[in-house]
Structure formats: structure tokens, C-alpha cells
Amino acid sequence: MTAVTEAIAAPEAGAATTGVGKTGMVTTGTAPTAATASALAAYCSQRIFQPGPEVLIEGNPYRRPIGPPGAADRDFSVPATEAEFLGGGQLIAGRVLCNAYESDMILLPPAGLASAKDDFELFYGDEVRALRDAVRPGLERYAFSFLDDAVSVPPVRTLEELQAYFLAEVGGAGAPADASGSNPAVDAAAEVTGTMRLITECRRPEEAAALHLVQLALDALTEASAMARNLGGSYGVEQSELFKIFNDEFGYGVYGAKHSTIFKEMLASVGLRTDVHAYWNFYLTSSLVGVNYFNWLTEDHRGMFRYMAAVTYLEWLFAQGFADTGAMLRAVYGDRVDAKYCDEHAHIDVHHGRMTYENLLLGLARAHGELVIPELVRGIEDTKLLLRLGDADFRAQIAWADALDRHTEAGAALASSAMDDAETSTLRPDSPFCTGVYDSDRLVEITSGEADVYAWATDRPHRLGTGDVLLVPRGRLHGLKAASPEVRVTVRTVERTSR
């Protein structure tokens, strides 16, 4: 039997499902078996999912490196916990799931199909799709089960309680309702605070702002594609309301007004690439999990109530959120940036916030009653947690990437206390490049030659020379590229008493 036929055979004895979620509807599939582990190895070994020497991937939406050799050898049978949210397992699972979900979308290379015909055939081919279907349930279980343990669903049961709960939550998140009580309030002149302010205060603010745009690009360049999965069927006036929002996202059929088009224009205005997944190597773990969450809920229609509530919560927050993002980008880039995308969302999401709140969230609650209200609340609570974890991940990444010189000094100071578990490798300029994360703090030492460290999507990486030691905290995304004909790299674990 092949890896494909083994994986789609009956589950092995003892393979358990995660059961029904706390609120009783969407579940997270079955535990991986030996057969699905074999299928995962076969999936990851596909040519289009193997890393090449390039740091950025341009002109080819099918090439998506999952990880270095052996990336699929991890044990995915035990779901990741919240404490393991930024671990290497979540990054690998996130990349595989992103590939799986997007293989149901139509992606074509900007230079024409002839430029990547073989990769097109492989990405959408029977073997890769069969492997995808074999591995996806187990990886969904691995990636999303932690939400069942980490999220507590408040006892909201009635329509009136749902209204009060939602308005309290968005108000607490800095997006209160305006005087109408049904629209998110937007203050375009508000002082930039929080993560947006941290970006402006970085020593290299343009690099930090670019990394933020890269995280948005994971979804924005295919904007509303997950939403499209919920447009078919027949489920009443809520279906038509969702279509109105989808129609806005797609510019009412005018390509130049399509949100993904004006997002490309914003990227181009600050010198960033506009190809889908050009910055594949620089998507943070939390960004992949967050975007995959919405694809998961739309692939499994038992998740539609969570999805509709999650979209409602985000659309409401987006109004002020994109006003803040536009202010940050103008502070960092000045007149160079074309922030029309942010301005458009700050405007249209006032309406989308109202539409989703009144006609999706409350509309579904009215139509289906107390049976679905816990699921609606669960979607909001899931999204709150994913946003919090994502914000912490991004803040930690820019803090580390903005201070690689200091972490090189810290690495030198810690070198004598590193564990005796050295792993040594040799890199050359044509060696495969792939970013990754460590599950514990590591010291990366250059024992000969020079290497460039990529900790964000930059044309100015951090150079390490012979004898330099870089401290890489657990969960920090990075990649190494040889800057000399040959470079020897040694990686050791280090335990720190403080962080």
C-alpha cells in the first residue's frame, strides 16, 4: 500500500476522536495514526513543499516550504497546549494546514500559467489532494484542541444577554459602540497606542511595519476566500447579509476596488512584494494559526455559528483597528505609503460591524434560539484568545528582531553555560533556506565563515561572523543564510533564569 492508500484506510485500533467540543457542535477530528504519519511525511516531501535557496518566493503561489528535512517526524498525536502555541509543531502544522485549505482556492501565477505549470499540476493533483485529506483532520486536532481547554464560555443564553455580552466585549477591546448603539465608534484622530505605537518606537520602524504588513498579507491577498465557503446553500436572510459583505470585499465586481487589489497597492507603495506568499518564510506561527482557524470553521460547516460570531467581532474591531494601522503606517513611512486600504476598512467596517452584529450575530440567535447562542459566544471567545496570543507573538518578534545586536552580546555571555547537546551543520549560499522556531532557548554560534540572520522580512539581515553567538529565544522565527562560501553553525540549548 502507498502512503495515500494506507492513510485513507480505516483508523487503527485505539485511535480516538477528541469528541464534541464544550458547546456541542464543531469537533477537531481524529488522532493521527501511523498511516497518517506516513502520509504527512509523503506530503512534506513533495517538491513544491521543499525549501530552495531563495529567501523570498516570487511569481509562484504553489511553492511553500514546510520545513527542513525531518519536519514531519514530530509527534502530532498529542494536541499542542496553549503553552506550546509558539512551538515548532504548531508552525509545521500551520504551514501544512494553510497549504491544505488554499488548495481549495484558485491561485494562478502573475506571469501566466506557463511560468509554473508543473507546480500547478502538482499542487492541485490527485496525490497531493489525497495526502492533504488524510493528514488534515489529525493536524486540525493538534492545532486547535487547545482552545477547548483554554477558552471558557460565559453563561450567555438569551438574546438580551448576547447583546449585553457583545457590546461589553467590544467596548473592553477599545471599540465601543457609538451613540446609535449599533455602530462601532471610530476616532480617526486617536493617538496611536499599543502594538501600533511599539512599531513606531522600534529602532528600525520600517522593518517592524513591514513585518506587520506581511502578517496581514497572509489573508489580505486572498481576502474573503474563507468567507466564500459560507455563501452557498440555503439558510435565510443571514446568507444574503453575508453576501453583501463579501460583495464589498470583492469591490462589487470591479477589480480595482477589490480589497486585495488595494492591499497590493499599499504593499507596492512601500517597496514590498505583492505576489501571494512571497513572504511565506516570514509568517509568524500565530498568524498561520489565526488564519487557519477561519478556514477550519468554514471547511466544517458545523463551525458556521462560531465563524459568524468571530467575523462579527473582527469586523467591529476592524473599524478603529485599521484607522490606527493607517496612522501607524503614515507615521513610519510618511507620504510614501498608499494607505487607502486602511482608510477603506476604517470606513466600510463601521457598516460591516453593524451589519454583522444586527443581522448575523443577533439574526442567527433570533432564528435558532438558545441552542446556538453558546456556539456564537464560543466563536468570540476563541477569537479573543487568538488575537491576544497573536499580539504577544508579534510584539516578542519585533522586540527580538530589533535587537539582534544585543542578543548577540547576550549569546556570548551565555556561551559558557550552554548544554552539551551541540548540533552542527554546514551552510553554503545555495543551501535550502527555511525559517523555523525552537521549542527552547538556543545559542546559535558561527564557528567559521559568515551568516545572515533573517528575523523579519528585510533586505538588511543581521550579519554574524566567526565566533559570534546569537541568543534565539524559544518561539522566535528566524532563518540563516550563508554569507560566505561556507559557514559552520553550531546550535546548543541554554537555560536562562530570567527572560
Side-chain angles (χ1 to χ4, degrees), residues 177-184 316 354 358:
D178 65 10
S180 72
S182 299
N183 294 321
W316 188 288
R354 180 190 68 254
E358 292 183 341

Side-chain angles (χ1 to χ4, degrees), residues 102-172:
E102 291 195 353
S103 63
D104 279 339
M105 304 174 189
I106 298 173
L107 303 169
L108 294 174
L113 185 58
S115 66
K117 178 65 160 55
D118 291 345
D119 292 347
F120 168 86
E121 296 286 354
L122 183 57
F123 187 71
Y124 293 117
D126 292 342
E127 180 181 3
V128 169
R129 287 191 294 112
L131 291 170
R132 171 202 70 185
D133 293 343
V135 305
R136 196 181 76 195
L139 291 181
E140 289 172 337
R141 175 181 182 269
Y142 176 86
F144 301 124
S145 289
F146 82 95
L147 293 169
D148 289 334
D149 297 321
V151 170
S152 296
V153 180
V156 177
R157 293 294 180 268
T158 68
L159 183 66
E160 293 73 20
E161 289 173 349
L162 181 61
Q163 289 177 290
Y165 160 79
F166 180 80
L167 293 175
E169 289 298 333
V170 293

Side-chain angles (χ1 to χ4, degrees), residues 98 186 204 275 366:
C98 181
V186 176
R204 296 168 67 177
D275 295 345
R366 291 188 188 99

Side-chain angles (χ1 to χ4, degrees), residues 199-206 401-406 456:
I199 290 172
T200 67
E201 293 174 346
C202 282
R203 292 192 293 170
R204 296 168 67 177
E206 290 196 8
D402 201 40
L404 292 181
D405 52 347
R406 297 169 188 166
W456 45 23

Side-chain angles (χ1 to χ4, degrees), residues 66 71 74-76 78-98 138-147 283-290 292-293 386 389 393 437-439 474-475 477:
I66 291 170
R74 288 176 170 268
D75 180 8
F76 291 98
V78 179
T81 64
E82 182 180 351
E84 297 167 327
F85 181 73
L86 298 180
Q90 277 284 29
L91 179 62
I92 297 302
R95 286 172 172 170
V96 174
L97 288 172
C98 181
L139 291 181
E140 289 172 337
R141 175 181 182 269
Y142 176 86
F144 301 124
S145 289
F146 82 95
L147 293 169
Y283 297 142
L284 300 179
T285 304
S286 60
S287 299
L288 287 161
V289 176
N292 286 341
Y293 173 78
L386 291 172
L389 294 174
D393 185 19
V437 299
Y438 295 125
D439 293 332
R474 63 180 293 272
L477 189 73

Side-chain angles (χ1 to χ4, degrees), residues 165-421:
Y165 160 79
F166 180 80
L167 293 175
E169 289 298 333
V170 293
D178 65 10
S180 72
S182 299
N183 294 321
V186 176
D187 181 0
E191 180 183 0
V192 174
T193 61
T195 300
M196 297 300 100
R197 180 170 180 174
L198 288 179
I199 290 172
T200 67
E201 293 174 346
C202 282
R203 292 192 293 170
R204 296 168 67 177
E206 290 196 8
E207 308 285 7
L211 188 66
H212 179 66
L213 291 175
V214 165
Q215 306 317 302
L216 295 179
L218 173 57
D219 176 69
L221 290 175
T222 57
E223 190 159 337
S225 292
M227 183 182 291
R229 296 192 185 98
N230 278 343
L231 296 179
S234 176
Y235 56 92
V237 295
E238 293 79 24
Q239 182 179 18
S240 296
E241 201 67 20
L242 186 68
F243 182 77
K244 293 176 190 175
I245 296 167
F246 179 83
N247 211 10
D248 284 340
E249 305 287 1
F250 270 64
Y252 279 80
V254 178
Y255 181 74
K258 189 171 180 274
H259 285 178
S260 61
T261 303
I262 58 177
F263 184 81
K264 285 183 180 182
E265 293 168 353
M266 181 166 65
L267 292 179
S269 71
V270 295
L272 294 176
R273 277 70 166 184
T274 61
D275 295 345
V276 171
H277 300 325
Y279 296 98
W280 174 264
N281 277 310
F282 298 97
Y283 297 142
L284 300 179
T285 304
S286 60
S287 299
L288 287 161
V289 176
V291 170
N292 286 341
Y293 173 78
F294 285 85
N295 281 298
W296 170 53
L297 293 184
T298 55
E299 280 281 358
D300 182 346
H301 289 310
R302 291 173 297 175
M304 71 160 291
F305 295 102
R306 288 191 201 178
Y307 172 82
M308 296 297 187
V311 164
T312 298
Y313 184 71
L314 287 180
E315 292 287 352
W316 188 288
L317 297 188
F318 281 166
Q320 184 63 53
F322 276 105
D324 294 343
T325 300
M328 177 275 291
L329 292 173
R330 291 181 173 100
V332 171
Y333 293 111
D335 293 340
R336 280 189 295 147
V337 67
D338 177 357
K340 179 182 176 182
Y341 178 85
C342 297
D343 299 339
E344 165 68 7
H345 274 280
H347 163 71
I348 198 66
D349 286 335
V350 172
H351 304 289
H352 288 176
R354 180 190 68 254
M355 293 161 67
T356 52
Y357 169 59
E358 292 183 341
N359 301 318
L360 291 184
L361 183 74
L362 300 184
L364 289 168
R366 291 188 188 99
H368 302 281
E370 294 184 14
L371 176 66
V372 304
I373 289 176
E375 275 289 288
L376 295 169
V377 174
R378 173 64 188 270
I380 294 170
E381 292 295 325
D382 282 357
T383 305
K384 285 168 52 185
L385 176 59
L386 291 172
L387 288 175
R388 177 174 62 78
L389 294 174
D391 190 54
D393 185 19
F394 182 80
R395 285 176 178 238
Q397 186 72 22
I398 62 172
W400 179 64
D402 201 40
L404 292 181
D405 52 347
R406 297 169 188 166
H407 284 82
T408 303
E409 295 171 0
L414 291 167
S416 61
S417 60
M419 296 176 65
D420 186 19
D421 61 349

